[in-house]
Amino acid sequence: MARPWMLFEPFQIKSMKLKNRIGMAPMLNMPGVWTRFSITDETIAWFEARARGGAGLIMTGTFAPPMVAIPGWKERFAELARVMHSHGAMLGVQLGSGGPLLGVGPSLPPYPSELDAKQAIMDLLKVGLGLPAPAEPKALSVEEIEAQVQAFAGAAAILKEAGVDCVELHCAHGGATLCCSFISPFYNRREDRYGGSWENRLRFPTDTLRRMRQAVGEDYPLLVRISADELLGEKGITIDDTTRFIVPALEEAGADCIDVSQGSILHSPEGIEIPLYYPRGCFIHLAEAVKKATRLPVIGVGRIVELEMAEEFLREGKADLIYLGRQLTADPDTPRKYLEGRPEDVRKCVACVEGCGTPCSINYEMAPGALPLTPAATPKRVLVIGGGVAGMEAARVAALRGHRVTLIEKRSELGGMVAALALEPLTAEFANLVQYLRVQLGKLGVEVRLATEAGPAEVEALRPEVVIVATGSSLIIPEIARGKAGVIDHIEALRNRKWIGRRVVVWGLTYGPELAISLAEEGKEVVLIGEGGEKTLGGHASNFRRWWILRKLADVNPARGTPEAQKLSNPKVLANVKVKQITPERIELADERGIEIAVPYDTLVISRGRERDNALSRQLQGRAAEVHEIGDCSSVGDIQKAISSANQVARTI
Ligand SMILES: Cc1cc2nc3c(=O)[nH]c(=O)nc-3n(C[C@H](O)[C@H](O)[C@H](O)COP(=O)(O)O)c2cc1C
């Protein structure tokens, strides 16, 4: 490293001495914690990998403060703390109890008319966030509020005794937490001393903080996470409210550090687990604003992938500490790799939000039951055919295990379909994966032959002991569109964007939306068509991505009239239509009632299903000792499936 980084300087908050300014963000993707708030050996191993990776502070995902004592709770946290300390990391535990998302809140729905939270929950379920249906909403009584305050204080005391180095009170994410929903003007419409004025709405979290302080003493660090902007416009918490009322009140109540998040789980979940459509570090301005309003240290977070950016934020005075969330899921060793001067080895998060630990699309180690990586018993000559991400990952893992690996790819570049997706500005983060694998293949001495197409004879000539076929898949062009002028498949369209005309029809509601939105943003006139209903829009993507897609295309968000209602008129969506005819000038459609619609077009992009390309694999069976299919060639799927199937083969040969 050319100059000492601020990021790697020690930092102290009360009694907690951090070796650097990197923390792992609280994430509920800890394996093994679902039953009775348990911390299993699996949980500890998972945290240990993050501590070994070099982060100074390891924060757990939310734990609810137990309302009744849980036997063994303190001992398990003590064990977790001991393991963290053995790697020089400090352990923090985030405490938070569920709010309206789990059916309890400061006041009963309906919340402000058109921003009805219950409706929002239903919409969330409709887009399939996979959350359990909430119980009938219930407003907390004053006695229940008091019991909560007690529980938080009691839990903080136990955690301190267990050797946990700090506690973070979760007051963020709107309806996800009781604390945030009490603060939020959107959720809290109580008329007693817990509702109405800012002072009243802040009473529950500030009482909680004060009681926690009494329980842990002056010198113990208490962090607080807030949603500095709930992303609900004037109806929710705004950054102005945060700097004028919330931060001063929390500071007064004894907070030692403010962790600045954003969003409301029920209305803007994509503001919390931000998908790849948003730029990196996209809400650091909120931390910056909070820093101006307090003398407390401030934690900045959100889509921070490269430590260069983290360092820049510290140097610019936008934050004092940086939390990395998904980046440490994708690569727990990120800090260590920088410290060892090999940042190019970092597997950068692509922000696909397709699993985020359960499993992670790009980090196979996160998969439940992942096979171990062991040296090969007998090094073999391994031939990988196809240089998409499945083939590249298989080559990387096989080479790591000591096999001699050759990879052949018919195109002149590596990365296959994922590299093509990375050409689309909205999904450019996919380049991270291709780049990581390319660098690793080089470092591991994999022989890569580009622009090489191999048939059975050429393969036999190489005399491989193991052949891994990763020849991918092709997009299916419907009969009616074959050979027609202006027709191009989605992947070709990405590779040859300049061929796309001004009036574009994208055919495929499931896979087509991102490209359709992007082309529209570029100034093209875009119509997105498909046989399915609106429910199929963006169906290939994870729910946090779909939320964004649907909001742009279908405006499913009930928060209409707020800044985040962003329905676009371009692209226009025509769902439930059948393609009747394609002429050189127009595409003739019929809707559900049989009414005909003619859409003039210059380019028709086909973005529908794919079929596997396994012809070569079939020809090769029996011509080498072992022939395996992986990735789309074995069965069409997403990146996670490609990476997983590559590992399942490459870790066992
Ligand atoms: C799988 C997952 C679980 C999360 N769980 C929590 C949580 O328990 N408490 C919390 O405050 N934030 C939670 N978050 C939000 C993260 O702490 C973090 O703010 C967010 O992921 C943005 O940071 P990143 O872009 O570095 O991942 C979670 C995020 C993810 C991806």
Side-chain angles (χ1 to χ4, degrees):
M1 238 173 267
R3 61 173 179 176
W5 282 33
M6 268 179 91
L7 196 61
F8 289 106
E9 282 170 5
F11 196 81
Q12 184 153 358
I13 307 176
K14 292 264 178 87
S15 58
M16 179 171 66
K17 291 182 180 150
L18 299 169
K19 67 177 171 186
N20 59 40
R21 296 169 180 234
I22 304 169
M24 180 167 89
M27 283 183 294
L28 269 179
N29 59 6
M30 314 165 278
V33 292
W34 297 106
T35 48
R36 287 187 60 75
F37 311 95
S38 58
I39 296 177
T40 61
D41 291 349
E42 190 193 2
T43 322
I44 293 180
W46 188 83
F47 278 112
E48 182 168 21
R50 271 77 208 156
R52 201 186 292 122
L57 174 62
I58 300 290
M59 183 61 65
T60 67
T62 318
F63 280 89
M67 302 305 283
V68 288
I70 297 177
W73 211 61
K74 184 169 132 190
E75 289 70 24
R76 292 311 278 163
F77 277 110
E79 174 61 7
L80 183 58
R82 192 192 60 72
V83 174
M84 297 299 98
H85 296 161
S86 73
H87 295 283
M90 297 288 113
L91 173 66
V93 172
Q94 189 186 59
L95 287 178
S97 42
L101 178 68
L102 299 183
V104 272
S107 44
L108 282 176
Y111 298 111
S113 56
E114 80 276 29
L115 287 172
D116 185 309
K118 209 170 168 190
Q119 184 58 44
I121 294 169
M122 294 311 151
D123 279 340
L124 213 58
L125 296 175
K126 200 163 72 190
V127 303
L129 203 56
L131 295 165
E136 196 49 39
K138 174 180 180 313
L140 282 189
S141 68
V142 171
E143 293 71 37
E144 285 167 326
I145 293 175
E146 175 55 27
Q148 284 285 338
V149 174
Q150 293 257 28
F152 274 104
I158 294 174
L159 293 170
K160 183 189 173 194
E161 278 171 34
V164 171
D165 303 284
C166 68
V167 166
E168 178 170 287
L169 179 63
H170 193 353
C171 298
H173 304 161
T177 61
L178 267 186
C179 280
C180 191
S181 50
F182 267 85
I183 301 172
S184 166
F186 173 68
Y187 285 106
N188 186 345
R189 286 167 307 112
R190 290 176 82 102
E191 287 170 2
D192 62 3
R193 55 201 289 273
Y194 294 98
S197 65
W198 278 102
E199 190 188 351
N200 283 357
R201 274 188 278 114
L202 279 156
R203 193 177 307 282
F204 172 55
T206 52
D207 278 359
T208 303
L209 254 183
R210 285 198 186 91
R211 205 76 71 78
M212 285 166 78
R213 174 62 68 210
Q214 282 167 12
V216 295
E218 245 340 283
D219 207 32
Y220 190 77
L222 293 175
L223 285 54
V224 181
R225 168 165 268 205
I226 56 170
S227 272
D229 186 336
E230 245 185 322
L231 306 177
L232 292 170
E234 288 301 316
K235 298 202 160 101
I237 298 166
T238 64
I239 182 63
D240 190 44
D241 300 331
T242 294
T243 53
R244 284 175 61 201
F245 306 112
I246 300 173
V247 170
L250 294 171
E251 191 170 345
E252 232 245 77
D256 296 312
C257 175
I258 310 286
D259 162 17
V260 181
S261 187
Q262 66 165 9
S264 168
I265 193 77
L266 297 175
H267 297 89
S268 49
E270 91 277 16
I272 303 169
E273 293 184 29
I274 317 134
L276 68 174
Y277 312 130
Y278 292 87
R280 292 183 187 171
C282 58
F283 61 85
I284 197 70
H285 60 280
L286 298 177
E288 187 182 12
V290 169
K291 242 186 98 58
K292 291 195 180 120
T294 180
R295 280 183 304 178
L296 297 177
V298 169
I299 301 175
V301 61
R303 282 273 284 123
I304 301 172
V305 173
E306 291 178 324
L307 296 193
E308 288 82 354
M309 177 179 269
E311 173 71 8
E312 193 184 305
F313 289 161
L314 295 188
R315 289 202 178 267
E316 291 170 350
K318 293 178 174 164
D320 301 286
L321 295 150
I322 297 291
Y323 267 171
L324 302 177
R326 292 165 293 171
Q327 178 53 36
L328 294 186
T329 301
D331 191 340
D333 293 320
T334 304
R336 191 154 60 83
K337 287 175 177 172
Y338 271 84
L339 279 170
E340 291 171 0
R342 47 186 191 102
E344 71 282 3
D345 287 343
V346 171
R347 189 196 287 113
K348 288 183 204 152
C349 172
V350 296
C352 61
V353 226
E354 294 291 345
C356 288
T358 51
C360 166
S361 287
I362 61 171
N363 180 4
Y364 170 75
E365 303 279 346
M366 294 297 306
L371 299 168
L373 188 84
T374 51
T378 330
K380 294 179 182 158
R381 280 190 310 280
V382 176
L383 175 64
V384 179
I385 306 175
V389 296
M392 293 173 86
E393 174 76 351
R396 178 185 79 86
V397 173
L400 259 181
R401 296 186 57 225
H403 293 301
R404 285 189 301 282
V405 185
T406 303
L407 181 150
I408 56 178
E409 161 59 38
K410 73 174 175 195
R411 296 181 60 83
S412 55
E413 80 256 336
L414 290 167
M417 269 190 194
V418 174
L421 291 174
L423 296 170
E424 159 52 50
L426 280 177
T427 51
E429 287 286 11
F430 286 127
N432 299 350
L433 177 59
V434 179
Q435 172 66 6
Y436 164 76
L437 290 169
R438 188 186 295 120
V439 168
Q440 297 310 304
L441 296 192
K443 287 195 171 191
L444 289 162
V446 171
E447 187 195 338
V448 176
R449 299 187 190 172
L450 295 174
T452 305
E453 196 151 3
E458 290 85 353
V459 170
E460 267 184 299
L462 289 166
R463 300 190 18 266
E465 288 154 287
V466 179
V467 182
I468 300 176
V469 191
T471 42
S473 60
S474 307
L475 271 76
I476 301 167
I477 307 291
E479 190 61 47
I480 196 168
R482 279 195 206 145
K484 298 280 166 71
V487 172
I488 184 170
D489 79 43
H490 189 140
I491 296 296
E492 279 307 306
L494 295 175
R495 286 182 178 140
N496 301 287
R497 212 170 172 109
K498 59 185 178 304
W499 293 354
I500 302 176
R502 189 177 60 80
R503 294 166 310 168
V504 192
V505 173
V506 177
W507 184 358
L509 301 183
T510 305
Y511 296 100
E514 288 146 313
L515 179 60
I517 292 167
S518 172
L519 289 170
E521 281 175 358
E522 233 175 65
K524 313 253 186 220
E525 248 172 64
V526 186
V527 183
L528 179 62
I529 65 166
E531 294 85 342
E534 289 201 343
K535 280 191 180 154
T536 62
L537 278 169
H540 76 95
S542 70
N543 301 313
F544 289 91
R545 282 164 66 182
R546 286 195 77 202
W547 187 259
W548 180 91
I549 291 171
L550 290 174
R551 192 174 279 181
K552 292 235 168 196
L553 294 178
D555 209 4
V556 293
N557 185 17
R560 288 187 191 96
T562 66
E564 77 281 7
Q566 300 167 342
K567 180 174 162 41
L568 304 169
S569 53
N570 182 26
K572 184 174 173 180
V573 179
L574 296 176
N576 298 306
V577 293
K578 283 206 169 60
V579 176
K580 291 290 183 193
Q581 204 186 330
I582 299 174
T583 73
E585 293 80 35
R586 61 185 176 272
I587 300 169
E588 293 171 10
L589 309 166
D591 72 8
E592 283 167 303
R593 294 155 299 169
I595 296 173
E596 292 188 358
I597 310 160
V599 184
Y601 79 107
D602 302 310
T603 306
L604 169 60
V605 180
I606 308 287
S607 182
R608 290 156 53 89
R610 319 202 287 282
E611 59 193 351
R612 60 194 187 127
D613 289 337
N614 66 342
L616 179 62
S617 156
R618 282 206 308 270
Q619 290 168 17
L620 290 176
Q621 297 299 331
R623 295 192 185 221
E626 287 180 44
V627 179
H628 303 273
E629 290 176 356
I630 60 166
D632 274 6
C633 166
S634 103
S635 101
V636 170
D638 57 12
I639 294 178
Q640 190 254 322
K641 204 165 157 200
I643 296 290
S644 167
S645 72
N647 277 278
Q648 272 156 20
V649 169
R651 288 180 186 229
T652 48
I653 52 174

